[in-house]
């Protein structure tokens, strides 16, 4: 595992055996500015790697604003897709079933991205073992 970024709310790391870039929220995001900083670090890490797989573990993220959700749909995910030059982005959201707010945000991002963007496959998981099995299978 290669750590690429860490602050009080998130860490970004590359899992070599899974060939996957992970964004793991370790605490609630303080504000939109912090959210943007974390996601810009994520995009910068992604463009340096050769992977097509990205996991957002949002189980501890807390509520994110519609402005932050818009940033993901309009800037982050399109930037990742563009970097892949025609390959599909495999994006996995690891969500907490009990946290209705993060689940709504994840679904909003999934729905808007799927409707407006080509070259992206978005899946959601609640179970880490099932998510890892999926990532190993592709």
């Amino acid at each position: 595992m290669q750590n690429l970024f860490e602050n009080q709310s998130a860490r970004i790391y590359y899992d070599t055996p899974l060939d996957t870039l992970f964004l793991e929220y370790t605490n609630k995001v303080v504000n939109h500015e912090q959210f943007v900083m974390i996601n810009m670090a994520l995009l910068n890490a992604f463009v340096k790697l050769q992977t097509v797989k990205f996991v957002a573990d949002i189980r501890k993220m807390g509520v994110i604003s519609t402005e932050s959700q818009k940033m993901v749909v309009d800037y982050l995910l399109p930037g990742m897709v563009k970097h892949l030059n025609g390959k599909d982005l495999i994006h996995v959201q690891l969500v907490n079933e009990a946290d209705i707010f993060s689940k709504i945000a994840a679904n909003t991002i999934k729905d808007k991205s799927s409707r407006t963007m080509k070259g992206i496959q978005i899946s959601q998981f609640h179970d880490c073992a099932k998510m890892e099995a999926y990532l190993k299978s592709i």
Side-chain angles (χ1 to χ4, degrees):
M1 200 166 333
Q2 180 184 2
N3 285 319
L4 304 169
F5 172 88
E6 190 164 358
N7 70 7
Q8 69 273 21
S9 296
R11 74 183 185 123
I12 298 169
Y13 61 93
Y14 177 69
D15 185 312
T16 306
L18 292 176
D19 185 27
T20 303
L21 182 65
F22 279 79
L23 166 57
E24 175 187 8
Y25 286 96
T26 54
N27 278 307
K28 293 182 179 182
V29 176
V30 177
N31 55 34
H32 177 68
E33 289 73 25
Q34 184 189 56
F35 183 85
V36 169
M37 180 195 55
I38 291 166
N39 282 277
M40 290 307 297
L42 175 71
L43 182 57
N44 289 334
F46 188 79
V47 299
K48 292 176 184 171
L49 298 169
Q50 298 299 311
T51 187
V52 299
K53 298 184 277 187
F54 155 57
V55 172
D57 180 348
I58 61 171
R59 294 174 295 173
K60 296 180 182 176
M61 180 176 65
V63 178
I64 62 166
S65 68
T66 54
E67 182 181 26
S68 294
Q69 293 172 40
K70 185 172 174 33
M71 183 267 184
V72 171
V73 172
D74 293 347
Y75 187 78
L76 175 68
L77 295 177
M80 290 177 153
V81 168
K82 181 180 177 186
H83 164 71
L84 295 176
N85 294 318
K87 296 179 199 165
D88 280 359
L89 173 65
I90 309 301
H91 173 36
V92 173
Q93 299 170 331
L94 188 57
V95 297
N96 178 352
E97 284 184 293
D99 186 348
I100 190 70
F101 294 112
S102 67
K103 199 171 171 184
I104 288 170
N107 284 332
T108 299
I109 290 168
K110 180 181 177 186
D111 294 344
K112 286 183 179 181
S113 296
S114 297
R115 282 195 318 264
T116 62
M117 209 180 314
K118 292 182 191 235
I120 187 167
Q121 299 174 31
I122 302 177
S123 303
Q124 290 181 339
F125 290 88
H126 309 287
D127 180 280
C128 288
K130 288 180 182 177
M131 177 200 66
E132 286 184 19
Y134 170 73
L135 290 170
K136 286 178 184 175
S137 75
I138 50 174

